[in-house]
Amino acid sequence: MNDCLDNVQAPADPLASDLLAVARRAGLVGHSAAFVAALARLPRYARCDAGVLILGETGTGKEVCAQALHYASARAGGPFVAVNCAAIPGELVEDELFGHVRGAYTHAHAARSGLVAEAEHGTLFLDEIDALPLAAQAKLLRFLQDQQYRPVGSSQLRQAHVRVVAASNRPLDALAAAGQFRQDLLFRLNMLTLMLPPLRQRMADVPALAEHFLALSRRDGQHAIQSISPAALARLMAWSWPGNVRELKHAVDRAALLASGPQLAADDLDLGPAQAAAAPPAAAEGFNAAKARAVRDFERHYIERTLAEAGGNIAQAARLARKHRRAFFELLRKHDIDAARYRAV
């Protein structure tokens, strides 16, 4: 597998905005600094054929991110095959990944292609890779090293043209230090890493995500809800979202199905007692303070989104915002935003 490190360091190009658009269409929605910083890596990672390790808590969107990488890459015409490693019994990992030939064991009455063969010329996504037993990790490492594999019971090696993207919600470095994950496999997987922030660290994205999920379910004909009430939005913002984006989607979908009016109300949401709020509810602050905070948040999110679309190019971002370059610089200084974080290089 080519590491493509030269591509990672290549200059920004106009394709970066298109690749970011692919990511957003895949469901990666938001403009907060933590999220945009992670999202800005997608274009350069998509240009490469090296493996990618996606880390993040459960529900942060690791599989959606892997799909975005696939469909923004040169392998987009090939298959995207996803597997949850925790769902594969340890003794069947080799068979599931590499398949078997007829007669390989007692009940192998017919040959079976594995997931690697199914993902040929595409992407194989290995979720919860930390769940693989150590013996299975050794077999996976051998495959990653030379892109060759041997089906169970076969004497012939087969070549694979597959990009492997792995994900985990556990600290693999700590597991490796404890002897529960192979250090050499971690080195191999850790060529390119993407860390997805939990939703509690990007609470400013909750309104956009909620509207996105509401629109998706409305498009599918599940309801006719057109908007979210301010009270419902305040309640969403006051929840800490231990289940992250996945929990938010389920909450919005469930509330939309139960809502009785054209607008999602606070009473439609079943979240339980409010947890630590990321921002004060509207009623807890005065009008001027709430307005100033809203303007400040809007400016920051708009600038970050524009920088991401421009691949971190300040002059291009200023043109997109239709602002003089000096004025755009002033906004960057005002909000302490480092344009270099958004360069798709």
Side-chain angles (χ1 to χ4, degrees):
M1 181 179 291
N2 296 327
D3 291 341
C4 297
L5 291 183
D6 290 339
N7 286 348
V8 174
Q9 298 170 354
D13 59 59
L15 186 59
S17 294
D18 293 337
L19 295 177
L20 288 171
V22 169
R24 296 191 185 282
R25 286 198 298 271
L28 296 173
V29 175
H31 306 307
S32 64
F35 178 71
V36 172
L39 195 63
R41 292 175 177 262
L42 286 179
R44 43 185 164 167
Y45 285 9
R47 291 191 195 97
C48 301
D49 210 31
V52 178
L53 178 61
I54 305 176
L55 301 173
E57 296 180 6
T58 298
T60 50
K62 295 186 291 295
E63 183 169 349
V64 174
C65 189
Q67 290 174 343
L69 278 170
H70 170 73
Y71 290 112
S73 74
R75 294 183 177 271
F80 176 84
V81 178
V83 58
N84 188 324
C85 297
I88 307 176
E91 66 275 11
L92 296 180
V93 170
E94 187 174 6
D95 193 304
E96 285 292 314
L97 289 178
F98 308 124
H100 63 255
V101 297
R102 181 179 178 182
Y105 47 84
T106 304
H107 299 291
H109 302 302
R112 176 182 179 275
S113 61
L115 296 172
V116 168
E118 292 179 18
E120 182 70 9
H121 299 301
T123 300
L124 177 62
F125 175 58
L126 301 175
D127 197 10
E128 295 193 58
I129 195 166
D130 53 275
L132 288 179
L134 290 173
Q137 292 178 27
K139 293 181 173 65
L140 176 61
L141 176 62
R142 286 199 299 270
F143 166 68
L144 292 176
Q145 286 173 339
D146 54 22
Q147 287 280 281
Q148 291 183 331
Y149 67 99
R150 195 192 311 272
V152 177
S154 174
S155 60
Q156 296 182 341
L157 284 173
R158 298 184 184 179
Q159 190 74 31
H161 301 88
V162 174
R163 183 184 197 181
V164 174
V165 176
S168 176
N169 58 15
R170 301 177 67 192
L172 294 184
D173 51 352
L175 294 178
Q180 299 174 25
F181 197 84
R182 291 182 64 104
Q183 188 74 56
D184 47 5
L185 177 57
L186 178 57
F187 288 150
R188 190 71 193 184
L189 293 171
N190 206 24
M191 181 64 67
L192 300 174
T193 305
L194 193 66
M195 175 67 75
L196 297 183
L199 188 54
R200 63 182 174 275
Q201 292 180 8
R202 45 179 293 223
M203 289 296 291
D205 291 336
V206 168
L209 283 163
E211 291 287 356
H212 174 71
F213 295 139
L214 194 66
L216 285 180
S217 56
R218 183 171 60 244
R219 184 191 64 190
D220 293 339
Q222 297 181 20
H223 63 80
I225 305 298
Q226 296 298 315
S227 62
I228 303 176
S229 72
L233 189 57
R235 190 169 184 187
L236 291 175
M237 292 294 290
W239 187 249
S240 64
W241 302 110
N244 293 295
V245 178
R246 182 183 297 139
E247 182 187 2
L248 173 60
K249 183 180 188 304
H250 290 167
V252 171
D253 288 347
R254 181 173 59 246
L257 290 174
L258 299 176
S260 57
Q263 187 178 62
L264 198 67
D267 291 341
D268 297 324
L269 294 166
D270 183 14
L271 300 178
Q275 298 184 25
E285 58 184 340
F287 174 83
N288 290 337
K291 180 180 178 181
R293 179 172 55 81
V295 171
R296 184 173 60 252
D297 290 345
F298 169 79
E299 286 184 351
R300 169 175 283 278
H301 301 159
Y302 183 89
I303 293 167
E304 290 169 342
R305 181 186 63 194
T306 306
L307 282 170
E309 292 176 352
N313 185 306
I314 296 176
Q316 183 180 347
R319 286 194 296 271
L320 290 173
R322 299 180 184 178
K323 293 189 72 67
H324 191 278
R325 186 173 179 177
R326 183 176 299 173
F328 197 82
F329 265 118
E330 288 299 322
L331 286 172
L332 292 179
R333 280 195 288 267
K334 174 183 176 182
H335 295 283
D336 194 23
I337 296 175
D338 181 8
R341 292 191 305 169
Y342 305 98
R343 288 176 187 156
V345 296

